[in-house]
Structures are given as structure tokens and as C-alpha cells.
Amino acid sequence: MLLNHEQPWREWDAALAGPRMHHGWIIAGRQGLGKHEFALGAAQKLVGDGPMGPDHPDIILLNRPPKDDKEARKRDEGKPFERKRNISVDQIREMQRRLTTRPTLGARRAIIIDPADDLEKGASNALLKSLEEPPEGTFFLLVTHRPARLLPTIRSRCRIIRFAPLSTSDVERILQEEAPNATDEARAAAVAASGGSPGAALEFVEQDLAPIAVLMRKILNDGDPDFALRGKLSGSIGARPDRERIGAVFDLARAVLAERMTETPASQLSALADAHADMAALAGQAPTYNFDPGFLAMEIGSLLASAAPNKERAHV
């Protein structure tokens, strides 16, 4: 059992043992806390005997598909592949067509949607119809990193199991075991950005965030009146960062601001709080709009500079 999974399993096992199992579940917490593994294990307990995980005929797993035929071939060959941005309405409708038949091996069927954050608007509306009138024996497990992104009507029809972040010491220990060759600086940057998620911390080590963290803290300390540091930040992020790297950079920027807020007197928190709120808003917009990476890097740097002692204000 993974760390911090004890309470979620107690909740799930108690529900299974109860007289009436709820049909909709939200499995919520930061990315990298093992929610996917929990969902597969929970679905296995729900449907009973049979092949483990998504190979079970009564466990249907929906996630973002390959971007195109070329990426699909990579997936089929067991190679890394690029995914589409969203889970489509066509995927939900295909799943719903399968629900017109009975489960294959038993009386129950589990639908895992991971991450449910990435449902298209039409897909969310289509899913809502199944949650409102679920077929007998069908149960939905919605894995989400940001529950607020789900439709309120979906949230209201589901019970929620929350996964708490790990302590800093636990994340540090896991990094030492899983990434022994990483430098102390790289591990420190990953822990700071992880928000208590060991999976995120390991990904951040792979993303080599340490140089970016150094530049971010320098901008926050000194400002950037001549834009030189922002140019270096853009170079460190890269000319063509993928979605995961951009997400990691935003997480690190928020962590750097939050770190500074814990060290700052309450009377001087206004600029930091404003920058943190604006950073969160920009991070939320980034997956939706096709921003140029260089623009995002400059905006991130400008928000950090806006909270520096010289009070330079960002243009966001």
C-alpha cells in the first residue's frame, strides 16, 4: 500500500461492506499521489475475480488518447507517445454504448475516467446523463487533480475520497530512494514544487527544475528591471516545452511564491498574495489557450518581479 492510502482504503472498504454502494466516486488529490493505482485496485475489488486492472472485461478505463495515428503506433509499440488535450464526447458515447450490455463476468462494472479534469464540455454533459441514471451494477470512479474543474452537477452526484499530500520528509526520502543520482539542489527544487506529491517530485527531477528555481528566486529577490533574468528564464524553460513541463514550471513558480510568503511579515504580504493569485489564474488559462511558450515565460517572470521589493508590476 502506498503512503497516505490507508484512509482512502478504509473509506472504500467500508462503502463496499455497506448495504448500498454509491454509484459515483471522485478520487481527488494532487497529481502523483497514486490515485490511478488506487482507482484500479478499487475497481478490482468492486468487480471481483478476473484479470487485474484495465485488462478485466468489466473495468473500462478512459483517458486522453494518442494525438494522431503516428502517436497511436508509438503507443502500440510500447514507446512514449503524445496524447490529445482532452477526453472527447465520442469516447464517453462509446462507453455508454457498452453500458447497454450486461457486465461480462459478474454483476458489477467499473468505469474509470482519468483524469476527469480533461473531459471536454460535451463529454462532461454526456457523462452527467449516465451519472443521473446509472445502469444497474455500473459504478463510476473519476480521478481528478482539481475537483473544481468538474461540473458542479457532476460533483453533486458523487461521493469524494481525498488523498492528502505527503510530508516534506517523506517526499525527500522517496526522492533519495528513487532518484539517487539527482543533485541536492535538484531534489530541493523538486520537493519545493511538488506540494507533497512524490510522483510530481520525481517528474520535476526529470524536468531539471533546479536552474529554473534559482532564476525564479533571483527575480523574486531582485526584480528584473532590464528583463535580462526573464530572458534567461525563458531559455531555461525551453523553446518548445511540452504540456507537462509548462505545468511543472507553474507549480514551481507558485511554490517559490508560497515559500516567500511563509517568510514575510503579514503587513508585507499583499504583493506576494496578488502575484500568487495571478499565477494560479494564468496556470489555469495556459492549457485552454494556445499561448506562445516565450510569452508564458515572460509572464511568469513578470509576476515574480511584481512581488519583488522594488514592486515592479506585471502586465498580465
Side-chain angles (χ1 to χ4, degrees):
M1 184 181 296
L2 297 176
L3 284 176
N4 279 20
H5 278 213
E6 294 88 349
Q7 182 60 33
W9 276 119
R10 281 195 290 268
E11 293 180 37
W12 185 254
D13 290 341
L16 279 176
R20 184 178 175 83
M21 183 70 174
H22 196 72
H23 70 278
W25 294 82
I26 290 173
I27 300 171
R30 280 190 59 88
Q31 189 169 0
L33 290 172
K35 302 189 302 299
H36 179 81
E37 291 76 8
F38 175 88
L40 288 175
Q44 188 74 44
K45 282 191 175 185
L46 182 73
V47 301
D49 294 335
M52 291 296 291
D55 293 329
H56 195 294
D58 294 324
I59 297 176
I60 301 173
L61 174 62
L62 297 182
N63 52 24
R64 291 185 290 119
K67 181 179 178 180
D68 51 32
D69 291 343
K70 179 181 177 181
E71 298 302 316
R73 287 193 294 272
K74 291 181 182 178
R75 177 199 59 189
D76 296 341
E77 294 169 359
K79 298 177 181 178
F81 64 96
E82 187 175 353
R83 296 179 182 269
K84 291 184 178 179
R85 287 183 176 271
N86 299 106
I87 297 171
S88 70
V89 65
D90 289 339
Q91 289 176 267
I92 297 298
R93 288 173 177 161
E94 174 61 26
M95 174 270 291
Q96 289 170 329
R97 285 190 284 271
R98 293 182 63 178
L99 300 187
T100 61
T101 63
R102 294 179 59 83
T104 302
L105 298 183
R108 290 174 168 176
R109 174 189 282 126
I111 313 297
I112 300 172
I113 302 179
D114 181 15
D117 312 22
D118 290 340
L119 287 163
E120 291 178 349
K121 183 177 181 180
S124 293
N125 290 328
L127 174 63
L128 180 60
K129 295 179 181 178
S130 293
L131 288 170
E132 289 173 337
E133 299 179 7
E136 184 177 355
T138 297
F139 300 85
F140 295 88
L141 291 81
L142 311 183
V143 178
T144 175
H145 315 314
R146 297 179 176 88
R149 289 190 176 182
L150 300 180
L151 290 176
T153 44
I154 287 179
R155 297 200 303 269
S156 68
R157 285 164 173 78
C158 297
R159 289 183 58 180
I160 187 166
I161 295 178
R162 297 188 184 278
F163 283 71
L166 273 62
S167 67
T168 297
S169 59
D170 282 337
V171 176
E172 288 174 342
R173 178 174 57 78
I174 291 171
L175 277 185
Q176 289 171 354
E177 293 172 357
E178 301 293 332
N181 296 325
T183 65
D184 291 343
E185 187 180 52
R187 280 199 293 266
V191 170
S194 71
S197 166
L202 287 166
E203 180 182 346
F204 295 163
V205 166
E206 295 174 1
Q207 296 279 7
D208 191 21
L209 291 184
I212 297 175
V214 170
L215 285 167
M216 286 182 174
R217 290 191 176 97
K218 188 166 181 59
I219 293 171
L220 187 56
N221 285 334
D222 304 334
D224 185 27
D226 60 1
F227 285 75
L229 291 174
R230 272 168 274 198
K232 292 180 180 179
L233 180 66
S234 180
S236 292
I237 293 171
R240 299 185 64 183
D242 58 21
R243 186 179 184 183
E244 287 71 24
R245 184 164 179 80
I246 286 292
V249 169
F250 273 118
D251 284 343
L252 177 59
R254 290 197 295 266
V256 167
L257 286 163
E259 175 186 75
R260 181 58 53 86
M261 290 169 74
T262 64
E263 304 166 352
T264 302
S267 60
Q268 302 173 23
L269 282 177
S270 178
L272 286 164
D274 287 346
H276 193 279
D278 289 345
M279 192 75 73
L282 183 61
Q285 295 169 2
T288 305
Y289 299 100
N290 190 24
F291 288 128
D292 175 81
F295 166 83
L296 280 178
M298 295 300 286
E299 292 299 284
I300 290 169
S302 293
L303 286 171
L304 292 167
S306 74
N310 64 9
K311 304 297 182 186
E312 178 185 346
R313 207 36 224 168
H315 302 288
V316 179

